[in-house]
Amino acid sequence: MSVTLVTVGTKNHSLMKFALEKTIKAIPHNSIKVFSDKNLDIAGSSFYQLDSKFSRDDYYCFMIKELNKFITTDYVVVVLYDGFGVNSEYWEDKFLNYDYIGSPTHIHHPPMRELLEGTRVAYSSNIKWYSLGGGFSLRSRKFLDALQDPVVDVHFLDYNRKSLMICEDASIAVIHKNYLETQHKIKYGSIEDSLKFSSEILTGYPFCVGF
């Protein structure tokens, strides 16, 4: 199985470089791709120029609808300046059994609750934990291709019927989860394995690959 490490952003360049260098040591990989307005000078990486005005909403759209055009490996690991790999000893090949795996997040985690309650979107309230965190996540090529389905939209309506963008990981790992599972046979990480892959402050589990 082949893996590409990817980082995307136009801010906090020194932290982006630090995060990617840490992940390079933590995760087996075959290629490295940097999408930014400045070359991070990472040895062996391919650089793709972004406009310096590349916004948060641009990021959401790119990750859902554009990233697949640049990936030829079986998997991609997304790395951000505030989410990256650090512990190579906790890497397990079984993570590659999933199409998407990120840090586990509870549906009542305040940022998540506020996000979903403020939009006119449907999601399963019966599921309390999601393999969610996209800042440090593993995604299969199959998953990236499935996101091109027009049903997987990046725009939603708030309760005033104004169009808004929603965090890309919430869109692809919560809102469209059931659709992607049923229509594209996407397999999301179990909460047990998600906890071994990545952790957020909410869970505080140190024995994982990254955060």
Side-chain angles (χ1 to χ4, degrees), residues 70-140:
F70 300 91
I71 303 302
T72 57
T73 51
D74 300 309
Y75 295 88
V76 59
V77 172
V78 177
V79 179
L80 296 184
Y81 73 89
D82 59 351
F84 50 92
V86 290
N87 297 315
S88 60
E89 62 268 35
Y90 295 119
W91 171 263
E92 298 184 53
D93 286 343
K94 70 176 180 178
F95 297 140
L96 301 177
N97 293 330
Y98 300 109
D99 295 303
Y100 183 95
I101 188 167
S103 60
T105 303
H106 198 277
I107 200 68
H108 289 150
H109 184 38
M112 174 63 66
R113 185 178 67 248
E114 292 170 8
L115 179 67
L116 296 177
E117 289 180 352
T119 58
R120 300 168 64 90
V121 298
Y123 64 95
S124 177
S125 59
N126 293 324
I127 301 176
K128 300 305 180 185
W129 286 91
Y130 286 86
S131 181
L132 173 64
F136 174 61
S137 59
L138 181 144
R139 312 173 188 199
S140 71

Side-chain angles (χ1 to χ4, degrees), residues 175-207:
I175 295 167
H176 294 297
K177 180 177 185 289
N178 182 66
Y179 179 83
L180 289 167
E181 286 176 327
T182 56
Q183 298 302 313
H184 293 277
K185 309 304 179 185
I186 293 300
K187 186 176 182 181
Y188 289 85
S190 67
I191 299 306
E192 179 183 3
D193 286 339
S194 296
L195 193 58
K196 294 177 181 178
F197 180 77
S198 182
S199 174
E200 290 188 345
I201 295 175
L202 181 64
T203 52
Y205 183 74
F207 306 108

